[in-house]
Amino acid sequence: MAAIGNRGTVKEAAGFDPESDVKKLREAMKGMGTDEAAVIDVVSHRTIAQRQRIKEAYKQAVGKDLAEDLSSELSGNFKSVVLGLLMLPPVYDAYELRNAIKGAGTDEACLIDILASRSNAEVKTISSFYRKEYGKDLEKDVCGDTSGMFQRVLVSLLSAGRDETEKVDDAQAVKDAKEIYEAGEGRWGTDEVKFLTVLCVRNMKHLLKVFDEYKKIAGRDIEDSIKREMSGSLQDVFLAIVKVIKNKPAFFAERLYKSMKGLGTTDSILIRVMVSRAEIDMLDIKAEFLKMYGKTLHSFIKGDTSGDYRKILLELCGGE
């Protein structure tokens, strides 16, 4: 694994001085109206760790919470991006999951995006922040809001028990591929539990081997079989797991593309991916986006958003 953060567009600010950033932010919020450009300048060019230090320095200097102050000054999608950037990653994930569950209807896409793409350690941390922040059990909340096989897949992902070694058992991979084939394409009706057992439990390297073997047996990619055999949220979650394992940046590039193409923009997805990946693998996501769609992510965001919201997303995106 490469060190975290080195494939991100957001890098550590050189000569970082939290006190002077606090001064800038206080100036930006003084008087009538807000100097959004100053806010963008600070929050989009500091790492998560640096933003935490700014929050501490702000509290010391002003005796108030920076996120609360900004929240009362900003609005709309721009505000959502700024507040997301001020949170630690597991706190932001917990916050997004909470919003996906509470209120009328469930945002299944959010549950899938987060739970299918985070490591065991990340999922455990998210769950503990969720309990700390909301006094509720994440698994219970997810179960109260989902049902059937989709719920069982999410519970399995929440148990954070995926094998994370790099051990590939060739014979087992062939067996796994056969079992999935026989549970889906090879029979009438689909035995989804078999898919769950393999896709949610085995390690990534082993699964790549399973996918190769599957193609030999079925004559098609496992994604194609999932699309033929399943529907709705269950199809979505299994596809997400497969795509994340094959190529995580490509998975996020596709999420971004789909959030912007066609009429209207699904801002919740656009914001979540831009905020949560800016410091991790945004450079790779941009490269995959260009490869997959023949256009830059930068040009897509530019054409699909406006105002300060557009400005801050473009900063997180980095240049063309």
Side-chain angles (χ1 to χ4, degrees):
M1 281 290 287
I4 276 225
N6 61 353
R7 298 300 299 155
T9 42
V10 174
K11 308 279 186 206
E12 275 197 0
F16 171 62
D17 174 15
E19 279 73 28
S20 87
D21 282 343
V22 167
K23 206 168 144 228
K24 239 188 240 171
L25 289 168
R26 288 184 69 188
E27 288 293 317
M29 292 188 271
K30 256 207 194 115
M32 291 295 290
T34 311
D35 178 1
E36 283 88 357
V39 174
I40 294 170
D41 194 45
V42 174
V43 297
S44 66
H45 296 125
R46 305 290 181 273
T47 58
I48 293 161
Q50 290 177 329
R51 292 182 208 122
Q52 301 312 304
R53 289 183 53 199
I54 294 171
K55 278 160 67 176
E56 283 157 26
Y58 191 91
K59 200 165 253 177
Q60 277 173 341
V62 189
K64 286 173 85 179
D65 184 86
L66 174 59
E68 280 173 21
D69 277 0
L70 283 167
S71 186
S72 63
E73 293 278 332
L74 311 174
S75 64
N77 291 323
F78 177 57
K79 169 165 129 175
S80 301
V81 176
V82 172
L83 296 183
L85 290 170
L86 291 176
M87 295 178 202
L88 288 166
V91 176
Y92 182 58
D93 282 345
Y95 168 81
E96 286 286 290
L97 290 168
R98 181 73 193 130
N99 282 338
I101 292 166
K102 73 172 213 268
T106 309
D107 178 0
E108 288 87 4
C110 173
L111 300 180
I112 294 168
D113 278 359
I114 293 173
L115 298 177
S117 66
R118 307 295 191 254
S119 67
N120 290 344
E122 286 168 336
V123 170
K124 285 179 180 146
T125 312
I126 291 164
S127 293
S128 71
F129 270 110
Y130 191 94
R131 179 174 283 117
K132 208 167 87 182
E133 208 69 32
Y134 307 109
K136 289 175 180 295
D137 180 79
L138 178 55
E139 188 187 311
K140 269 201 188 109
D141 276 2
V142 166
C143 284
D145 240 40
T146 55
S147 62
M149 205 62 210
F150 177 55
Q151 178 194 86
R152 288 167 66 176
V153 174
L154 295 179
V155 168
S156 175
L157 295 172
L158 278 166
S159 72
R162 181 186 295 284
D163 168 20
E164 285 185 342
T165 67
E166 302 218 321
K167 203 172 135 299
V168 178
D169 177 340
D170 288 341
Q172 184 62 48
V174 173
K175 191 166 175 276
D176 285 342
K178 275 205 178 97
E179 291 200 335
I180 293 182
Y181 178 72
E182 280 157 15
E185 294 276 3
R187 57 170 279 174
W188 185 256
T190 309
D191 175 6
E192 291 108 347
V193 181
K194 280 281 193 293
F195 281 81
L196 187 158
T197 307
V198 175
L199 293 177
C200 299
V201 179
R202 307 278 191 259
N203 74 58
M204 292 174 90
K205 260 203 160 139
H206 179 86
L207 281 169
L208 289 173
K209 179 80 177 148
V210 173
F211 301 157
D212 283 346
E213 293 299 333
Y214 185 89
K215 194 166 185 177
K216 288 180 201 164
I217 297 167
R220 61 167 61 97
D221 282 328
I222 185 155
E223 290 103 313
D224 294 332
S225 290
I226 290 170
K227 282 179 193 155
R228 288 160 62 108
E229 294 291 316
M230 304 177 200
S231 61
S233 300
L234 184 62
Q235 182 192 93
D236 293 341
V237 73
F238 278 139
L239 283 176
I241 293 168
V242 171
K243 286 172 178 176
V244 164
I245 282 162
K246 284 189 171 182
N247 184 337
K248 198 185 277 190
F251 168 74
F252 286 116
E254 185 188 3
R255 299 300 290 140
L256 288 169
Y257 177 74
K258 287 189 166 162
S259 77
M260 291 183 279
K261 88 174 206 325
L263 280 168
T265 305
T266 314
D267 295 295
S268 57
I269 297 173
L270 177 55
I271 293 168
R272 184 168 56 245
V273 177
M274 295 305 292
V275 168
S276 62
R277 308 315 292 183
E279 215 170 302
I280 300 174
D281 52 4
M282 189 54 70
L283 294 171
D284 300 324
I285 292 169
K286 283 165 68 174
E288 292 294 339
F289 194 97
L290 183 59
K291 204 161 81 189
M292 290 158 73
Y293 305 110
K295 292 200 172 87
T296 64
L297 176 59
H298 192 279
S299 68
F300 246 72
I301 293 171
K302 203 172 169 179
D304 231 60
T305 55
S306 61
D308 296 308
Y309 175 45
R310 173 202 275 163
K311 284 179 193 150
I312 197 163
L313 289 181
L314 290 177
E315 292 301 323
L316 296 177
C317 173
E320 281 278 5

